[in-house]
Amino acid sequence: MNDVAHDLHAPHFIGIGGAGMSGLAKILAIRGAKVSGSDAKESETVLALRALGADVHVGHAAENLPLGASNVVVSSAIRHDNPELAAARERGVPVVHRSDALAALMGGRRALAVAGTHGKTTTTSMLAVSLAELGLEPSYAIGGDLDAPGSNAHHGAGDIFVAEADESDRSFHKYAPEVAIILNVELDHHANYASMDEIYESFETFVGRIVAGGTLVISADHPGARELTSRVRGRDGLKVVTVGAAEDADLRVLSVVPRGMTSEVTVELDGAELTFTVSVPGRHYAHNAVAALAAGIALGIPAQDLAKAIGSYTGVRRRLQLKGETAGVQVIDSYAHHPTEMAADLEAIREAADGNRVLVVFQPHLFSRTQQLAEEMGQALALADSSVVLDIYPAREDPIPGVTSELIIDAARRAGAEVSAEHSFAAAPALLASLARPGDLLLTMGAGDVTNLGPEILRHLAGVSTDA
């Protein structure tokens, strides 16, 4: 670990409004650090950080870097030519990656790290909420807000620190957890990983970071996770606990029964059955809850108490979050951007729809992901009754010639989907409102700014309803 990460008394965050960065900034501000930072635009998250005393600038400029900054914290999304990063180098201010800063914050705590290609934010959130419900006062850093801007992180008085461990840039190699969860292992983040072998090697390195005597909780159902288990099982000082519906799972899921927007889950634990409620819909969320249960048990928390506490988790922003209902249409926001996530969320909503139509407005995220997975994204959209696909949200990437949303639309049509393109972001809310009818469930789906369409769609639905 970079030693300067231990000196975070006056950190400056470039891109402080991001999900991962803002959480660290919040914890440091609560711990008494003199936090400063910058972000591209004003946001609720920026306002929440200012309320904690952080000095946050909008826009990136060299003069934003304070003279007394102890170091500059960056994520992998920050470009090398960022003016504040250049100023830090010129002035000799140490530059710290976000993962090093998080590792420093976790130091001295019983760390629980949640990894996997999908489901990290939900599972980390389930643990944070349930441990807090049990009065254990955990600290946590999550890749999404629980219920309000700034709720993605907390500095607790207890000795447990729960963190989302990001594999996208190999930054999860920096952590040394007592308990690690691996939910699934798939090829993603194509700019950083060229093959599944590279993915497996990266996850093996993460497993190797678990402290001696620690526990790995890993899926017994997912093919990639099973392969990883075969590679790491038998390592000295490592306990492996497999979870899932597979007959050989150590903590076996016996049933997941949908109850509208909740599920009733029954597991077999030490030869006995345990049934509890998961207050979000879908089989994949139920399995996330079982992984959280196994991790908590590994920390010594009684299973019955933890299972009941998990039921108090009601969701995280952007993970099948109900944005509102107008004119008989429910508008739900989904962060899903990888085909596996898309299919899982659509299947969950299909169960909750109880025979009503499921509509989707999907915004692809990253040119590289679209280039590699357009066919699978199109197949996932075929699970909806009707879909509208927006232009690709570029995030940190430059365009790739020939890679557009049309690749997904063509694949969706080959899979039998009813799908259309909408190239104007501003025109999308009116289009979606015109397509919807009472009883429909309408999802805004993707990791970009498609989340902003929900309130606009609801306003258009209200207008249509009023005119009628």
Side-chain angles (χ1 to χ4, degrees), residues 86-107:
R89 293 194 182 105
E90 289 172 8
R91 287 164 41 183
V93 179
V95 177
V96 177
H97 191 272
R98 179 190 64 83
S99 57
D100 283 314
L102 176 55
L105 291 179
M106 294 165 71

Side-chain angles (χ1 to χ4, degrees), residues 105-113 131 136 138-139 158-163 176-179 211 295-301:
L105 291 179
M106 294 165 71
R109 306 287 179 110
R110 301 181 70 194
L112 198 164
L131 295 176
L136 296 174
S139 297
D159 64 351
I160 298 174
F161 197 119
V162 185
E178 177 180 335
V179 178
V211 300
I297 293 170
L299 287 174
I301 301 167

Side-chain angles (χ1 to χ4, degrees), residues 27-39:
I27 292 173
L28 283 164
I30 294 172
R31 289 188 180 184
K34 187 177 180 181
V35 175
S36 64
S38 63
D39 206 51

Side-chain angles (χ1 to χ4, degrees), residues 20-52:
M21 298 282 273
S22 61
L24 303 188
K26 176 183 178 181
I27 292 173
L28 283 164
I30 294 172
R31 289 188 180 184
K34 187 177 180 181
V35 175
S36 64
S38 63
D39 206 51
K41 59 185 178 181
E42 292 280 3
S43 66
E44 293 177 317
T45 300
V46 166
L47 293 174
L49 287 168
R50 286 191 183 126
L52 289 171

Side-chain angles (χ1 to χ4, degrees), residues 62-235:
E63 54 267 27
N64 291 342
L65 180 61
L67 292 176
S70 58
N71 35 39
V72 168
V73 183
V74 298
S75 71
S76 298
I78 302 303
R79 293 179 179 263
H80 292 293
D81 59 355
N82 181 281
E84 293 167 37
L85 184 56
R89 293 194 182 105
E90 289 172 8
R91 287 164 41 183
V93 179
V95 177
V96 177
H97 191 272
R98 179 190 64 83
S99 57
D100 283 314
L102 176 55
L105 291 179
M106 294 165 71
R109 306 287 179 110
R110 301 181 70 194
L112 198 164
V114 182
T117 314
H118 327 290
K120 294 185 291 292
T121 297
T122 297
T123 308
T124 310
S125 302
M126 285 177 172
L127 281 161
V129 169
S130 56
L131 295 176
E133 179 75 11
L134 293 172
L136 296 174
E137 299 190 53
S139 297
Y140 55 82
I142 306 171
D145 288 327
L146 290 171
D147 50 21
S151 63
N152 58 332
H154 178 68
H155 171 62
D159 64 351
I160 298 174
F161 197 119
V162 185
E164 187 170 329
D166 184 12
E167 84 285 358
S168 67
D169 55 3
R170 296 178 172 82
S171 61
F172 66 164
H173 297 169
K174 305 290 181 64
Y175 314 136
E178 177 180 335
V179 178
I181 296 174
I182 296 179
L183 299 163
N184 36 60
V185 182
E186 289 186 33
L187 181 58
D188 194 7
H189 313 296
H190 303 88
N192 293 322
Y193 294 103
S195 67
M196 275 304 299
D197 280 339
E198 287 190 13
I199 291 280
Y200 286 131
E201 289 170 7
S202 187
F203 274 90
E204 284 185 69
T205 299
F206 171 65
V207 172
R209 295 285 299 166
I210 298 173
V211 300
T215 302
L216 169 65
V217 174
I218 188 165
S219 170
D221 299 329
H222 191 274
R226 290 187 70 92
E227 170 62 23
L228 182 64
T229 299
S230 71
R231 294 181 178 216
V232 302
R233 193 188 287 278
R235 288 188 179 184

Side-chain angles (χ1 to χ4, degrees), residues 241-253:
V241 177
T242 59
V243 296
E247 290 188 5
D248 61 351
D250 298 317
L251 178 53
R252 189 179 175 200
V253 179

